[in-house]
Amino acid sequence: MEAQRENRNSLWWWTKRLIATRGRFQAFGRGTFELLYPENRKVLAFTRTYNGEHILVVTNLSRFVQAVELDLSAFNSMVPVEIFGRTTFPPIDDTPYFMSLAPHAFYWFTLQVQTNLTCPVRPQNQIPTLVVSDNWQNIFTKSETKAALEEILPDYMCACSWFDGKSRVIQSSHIIEAIPLSFHSLEAAIVLVQLDYTEGDPETYVLHLAYEPEGINHERFSSYREEVVANIEIRSKKQIGVLFDALTDKDFLNFPLEAIANKNTYQGMAGELQAEASKDFTVLAGAGSNYALRIHLEAHMLRGEHKNTCVVYGDRLMCKLFRKVVGEGINPDLEVGQFLTHSSATKGLPNAENFAPVAGSLNYSRKNFETMTLGILRKFIPDIRDGWSYSLDSLRDFFEQVQIRQIDAIADIDLPSSLLTAALENEIPSLAQEMFGSYLGNAQLLGERTAEMHLALASDTEDPNFAPESFTSFYQRSIYQYMRNQAGQVLLRLKKDLIQLPNELQSVAQLVLNNREMILTRLKSILNQKITAMRTRTHGNLCLNEVLYTGKDFIIIDFEGDQTRPLSERRMKRSPLRDVAGMIESFYYSSRIGLRNEKESGMIVPDDLPLMEQWAQFFYTWSSIAFLKSYLATAKNAPFLPSEPSELQLLLDAFILEKVIIELEHELKNRPNWIEVPMYRILELLETA
């Protein structure tokens, strides 16, 4: 038994996890039981329902792989979530639900209701029809059909996973540009659509639309019709074709790559699309001709829920196509990516293996307006995971280590009150080195890579877009005013949503609101001392989600900053310590979500929760210190670091609190069930001040 307890992969631990998981759901032992009777008799499937809780169990009774279709129409629009891994499966509709199962495999699902959204979703069987006289592209140019298309686009976009305005009320849509193009046998257009809302600023989205003359009965629409925008009736040809998402056409996925390879230009109604290749394109693509590109770099779309569409070419390149364009001007992801690509090639900083070099871009320009970035082609990094997933896996191992070793002496271990002081003066304790495994060393490596990125971004004193600039008293005051206004708006939103929060969190939210003046006072402390450091271009949204872990090293990605902010704001020069604060806060967030996952899985019982919360704090504290210690050592004497520790502490404190307020705003808008994390964090920061 002792050997089983010490081996986390043992039958004892597997059974413990299974019992804990079963105990989370009352429907496993109570309520109704209903067999589903699939045609494949080698698959057993049934549902359990109790008190609003729905469980779906699917089991392969055979020693061979099996496929099955289940009638889940009674749970139409609900979403299956796999219980052990918390993986979300596609929503259920009124068609048979397909699954494949490995030999003797089984699935346990909870069936969850999808979140209600303000944005209406068009039923798939209700496809509108637009009528034109002689050419399908008249829908973009003729006022009557253009207005009809503008009327139906919001309903179509609301059904798209990349659409970011689902929680807002759309007032109207306007087609501001249509760029016709032909790619092999497909006629298509890149369309810019501006959406106006009843509240807030308008947004511009990019649609890639194509025309299929054979209509809705074409084989491409046999399985899925959500990519269909409308039927197009051409009266002169007595033809009813289909307007659909061009990116669902496998051949069209090659368009961005070939356009960039050939440096093509496409004329639109008001401007033009320009495809540009970097001087490193041929090296990164590994081929010198279009024929070679298409043969060796087969295109496929990156799966999963993404706000942008990513097309992967073989194992060498990936093109990010922006779905939402926030304002005019070059996207920071392209601008910073091009700068780092040049800096790496000429100065060796950062190492080319620690970011994804840029191979080309798609840009839109029109007279009297700044150029907008519509797509970026860069090196593809295969077979890796992000830092967030890696951290949660490491936390799971960490909590299991604590349980295996039954260490309860955490209450006797004093944690440093200041991460900065500990990073400057203290050594990492042996207990942290022993318990964290390789994660501690990787946190240090991440600190080193972050510093190298900042050193590269501060290395050019000639380029006005990247040359470091001094902190001035005016800039310090502008930082404070910005953070104050932001905090005021978020706290106002919290007050407005207070009654909608769970009862147990309403008192916590009220406590945060009661500390409004203390929060503003903490932010105002940034005015208390002159800052001697320089400000530079930064990542803008650095966190564990924005780094990839290869198993040996880290790759920093996505330099576009906070996508909810205007481009002009995201391109501003700031203190790199803002990135550092973002990563420290990401360590904190992962420790809390990791603990929450273990609690929800039943691996941590309520009686042990206070003890495990202390261990979560231990993990966050020393991971952050390891990261910060390595960062400061690598960036030592850099002009963007303050000369005095007091200045460093002042900036870190302000930026960490600012980051938590941003997180609170994000959770209020997108994930109310996570709101407790930033609220408790704010109170913790105020208490330790």
Side-chain angles (χ1 to χ4, degrees):
M1 177 62 73
E2 191 64 28
Q4 291 264 323
R5 286 175 61 90
E6 293 181 359
N7 180 5
R8 284 169 290 165
N9 298 315
S10 67
L11 177 62
W12 187 89
W13 274 97
W14 182 86
T15 306
K16 180 179 174 66
R17 293 189 191 102
L18 196 68
I19 294 173
T21 300
R22 190 180 187 280
R24 290 166 52 202
F25 301 98
Q26 291 183 312
F28 273 121
R30 300 181 182 181
T32 61
F33 171 88
E34 183 176 350
L35 287 167
L36 295 181
Y37 300 109
E39 290 186 9
N40 187 343
R41 294 303 182 184
K42 296 177 181 178
V43 175
L44 172 67
F46 61 87
T47 60
R48 300 294 305 254
T49 300
Y50 177 73
N51 198 23
E53 188 176 85
H54 306 283
I55 302 293
L56 169 65
V57 176
V58 186
T59 304
N60 181 4
L61 304 177
S62 167
R63 60 191 179 96
F64 300 107
V65 174
Q66 297 294 322
V68 66
E69 289 186 332
L70 303 175
D71 179 8
L72 299 177
S73 56
F75 304 97
N76 197 354
S77 299
M78 299 185 79
V79 177
V81 179
E82 201 274 325
I83 287 176
F84 295 100
R86 302 180 184 85
T87 303
T88 301
F89 277 53
I92 299 166
D93 56 25
D94 53 6
T95 60
Y97 198 88
F98 176 81
M99 287 186 188
S100 61
L101 298 97
H104 297 299
F106 70 93
Y107 288 129
W108 290 359
F109 296 98
T110 60
L111 303 180
Q112 300 181 1
V113 178
Q114 293 190 77
T115 305
N116 290 326
L117 302 170
T118 302
C119 188
V121 177
R122 182 190 73 190
Q124 289 186 25
N125 59 350
Q126 296 181 11
I127 301 174
T129 299
L130 304 176
V131 180
V132 295
S133 57
D134 53 4
N135 189 325
W136 76 270
Q137 292 181 344
N138 286 346
I139 61 174
F140 305 123
T141 57
K142 301 297 183 181
S143 58
E144 186 176 339
T145 51
K146 180 183 176 186
L149 177 59
E150 290 171 337
E151 186 176 345
I152 67 174
L153 280 177
D155 288 349
Y156 162 73
M157 294 169 67
C158 282
C160 298
S161 61
W162 44 259
F163 182 56
D164 207 27
K166 290 184 172 68
S167 62
R168 304 175 68 183
V169 179
I170 300 173
Q171 188 175 51
S172 61
S173 68
H174 307 281
I175 295 174
I176 59 177
E177 177 63 287
I179 306 169
L181 53 94
S182 294
F183 185 74
H184 302 163
S185 61
L186 194 68
E187 292 185 353
I190 295 178
V191 182
L192 273 61
V193 181
Q194 178 179 300
L195 296 182
D196 295 319
Y197 300 95
T198 55
E199 295 182 2
D201 296 328
E203 295 177 330
T204 300
Y205 284 85
V206 183
L207 302 180
H208 305 77
L209 303 179
Y211 178 70
E212 174 51 64
E214 294 186 24
I216 198 67
N217 294 321
H218 190 278
E219 62 181 0
R220 73 165 79 245
F221 307 121
S222 60
S223 299
Y224 302 100
R225 295 190 176 184
E226 58 266 27
E227 68 265 27
V228 174
V229 179
N231 293 314
I232 306 292
E233 180 181 346
I234 304 178
R235 285 180 174 171
S236 63
K237 300 179 181 179
K238 296 182 180 180
Q239 178 187 91
I240 298 180
V242 168
L243 185 70
F244 68 100
D245 181 359
L247 293 174
T248 61
D249 183 272
K250 186 173 178 61
D251 188 48
F252 186 80
L253 294 178
N254 290 290
F255 164 74
L257 179 60
E258 291 195 18
I260 291 171
N262 294 322
K263 302 179 182 179
N264 290 344
T265 298
Y266 304 88
Q267 195 65 41
M269 297 188 305
E272 64 179 19
L273 176 70
Q274 301 160 336
E276 301 177 4
S278 73
K279 65 178 182 179
D280 300 318
F281 172 82
T282 303
V283 174
L284 292 172
S289 68
N290 278 353
Y291 177 77
L293 285 175
R294 297 197 67 204
I295 293 298
H296 297 292
L297 300 180
E298 183 179 355
H300 69 273
M301 197 179 298
L302 196 64
R303 299 296 178 186
E305 296 283 331
H306 302 284
K307 293 304 180 185
N308 301 305
T309 296
C310 296
V311 183
V312 177
Y313 300 102
D315 61 353
R316 302 190 68 88
L317 296 171
M318 182 184 75
C319 186
K320 179 197 289 186
L321 298 172
F322 293 102
R323 287 292 195 171
K324 183 169 74 171
V325 182
V326 186
E328 300 169 13
I330 186 172
N331 191 292
D333 197 9
L334 174 61
E335 185 181 26
V336 174
Q338 288 175 329
F339 180 88
L340 293 178
T341 301
H342 177 73
S343 175
S344 176
T346 58
K347 305 172 185 176
L349 192 69
N351 190 301
E353 299 301 317
N354 299 125
F355 75 105
V358 173
S361 61
L362 296 172
N363 304 295
Y364 172 75
S365 62
R366 56 176 169 163
K367 190 176 181 180
N368 299 326
F369 289 89
E370 291 188 65
T371 298
M372 296 190 298
T373 308
L374 303 189
I376 303 175
L377 183 70
R378 61 191 349 142
K379 180 181 177 181
F380 176 57
I381 315 295
D383 301 327
I384 48 179
R385 54 180 172 163
D386 61 49
W388 177 261
S389 301
Y390 168 59
S391 296
L392 291 184
D393 287 346
S394 298
L395 277 157
R396 180 175 180 175
D397 293 342
F398 171 75
F399 287 126
E400 287 184 350
Q401 280 285 349
V402 172
Q403 290 179 300
I404 289 171
R405 298 172 58 168
Q406 299 181 333
I407 304 175
D408 57 5
I410 185 66
D412 300 327
I413 301 174
D414 292 328
L415 296 178
S417 57
S418 167
L419 298 180
L420 177 61
T421 301
L424 292 173
E425 301 176 0
N426 296 5
E427 295 298 322
I428 306 293
S430 57
L431 181 60
Q433 297 178 18
E434 183 181 346
M435 296 287 289
F436 291 14
S438 62
Y439 190 83
L440 194 67
N442 284 328
Q444 293 173 317
L445 181 60
L446 183 55
E448 183 180 342
R449 297 293 177 251
T450 303
E452 290 171 351
M453 174 189 68
H454 287 155
L455 289 169
L457 290 173
S459 64
D460 193 333
T461 58
E462 302 298 326
D463 187 340
N465 292 317
F466 287 87
E469 297 178 8
S470 300
F471 266 77
T472 62
S473 57
F474 176 79
Y475 178 70
Q476 279 183 252
R477 179 158 291 278
S478 71
I479 293 176
Y480 163 64
Q481 291 295 345
Y482 178 86
M483 293 192 296
R484 177 188 173 88
N485 293 340
Q486 179 176 250
Q489 292 172 7
V490 174
L491 293 176
L492 191 63
R493 173 72 181 264
L494 179 62
K495 183 177 181 180
K496 180 181 176 181
D497 294 353
L498 181 64
I499 195 171
Q500 301 176 22
L501 299 179
N503 292 333
E504 64 272 17
L505 291 181
Q506 289 186 16
S507 59
V508 182
Q510 189 59 58
L511 192 57
V512 172
L513 293 171
N514 293 344
N515 281 280
R516 181 181 185 276
E517 291 305 317
M518 184 178 291
I519 292 171
L520 298 181
T521 300
R522 284 288 307 277
L523 294 174
K524 192 175 182 179
S525 64
I526 201 168
L527 302 176
N528 293 345
Q529 187 173 352
K530 179 176 173 58
I531 305 300
T532 57
M534 306 292 281
R535 54 193 178 97
T536 68
R537 294 295 292 271
T538 64
H539 181 281
N541 190 33
L542 191 64
C543 59
L544 290 168
N545 295 94
E546 305 294 0
V547 298
L548 302 177
Y549 179 58
T550 67
K552 296 181 180 179
D553 210 335
F554 289 97
I555 300 168
I556 301 176
I557 60 171
D558 289 341
F559 297 92
E560 56 184 311
D562 186 347
Q563 298 178 34
T564 64
R565 307 299 180 188
L567 283 178
S568 57
E569 183 180 318
R570 286 146 61 183
R571 295 179 65 202
M572 289 176 59
K573 294 171 185 175
R574 305 174 184 272
S575 169
L577 291 174
R578 242 175 139 255
D579 285 346
V580 174
M583 187 59 74
I584 289 174
E585 200 49 36
S586 195
F587 282 125
Y588 179 88
Y589 233 72
S590 66
S591 71
R592 272 25 188 199
I593 298 303
L595 177 64
R596 178 175 174 168
N597 289 346
E598 292 302 292
K599 176 186 173 184
E600 290 180 352
S601 69
M603 294 304 296
I604 296 178
V605 297
D607 290 346
D608 292 341
L609 188 58
L611 180 67
M612 288 301 178
E613 286 176 342
Q614 295 180 62
W615 278 112
Q617 189 72 8
F618 181 84
F619 190 94
Y620 148 71
T621 298
W622 289 109
S623 297
S624 300
I625 291 172
F627 168 82
L628 188 56
K629 181 185 285 287
S630 177
Y631 176 86
L632 294 174
T634 306
K636 187 177 181 180
N637 299 324
F640 53 78
L641 287 182
S643 57
E644 296 295 329
S646 59
E647 297 175 45
L648 195 59
Q649 186 72 66
L650 189 73
L651 290 174
L652 274 179
D653 288 346
F655 291 144
I656 287 176
L657 182 56
E658 178 196 27
K659 182 64 176 178
V660 184
I661 292 170
I662 293 173
E663 288 166 349
L664 177 57
E665 178 183 31
H666 180 267
E667 308 305 12
L668 281 168
K669 290 180 178 178
N670 302 288
R671 288 185 305 204
N673 57 324
W674 281 29
I675 193 176
E676 63 183 74
V677 178
M679 288 199 305
Y680 278 117
R681 178 61 165 161
I682 288 173
L683 297 176
E684 178 184 317
L685 292 173
L686 296 179
E687 183 179 349
T688 57

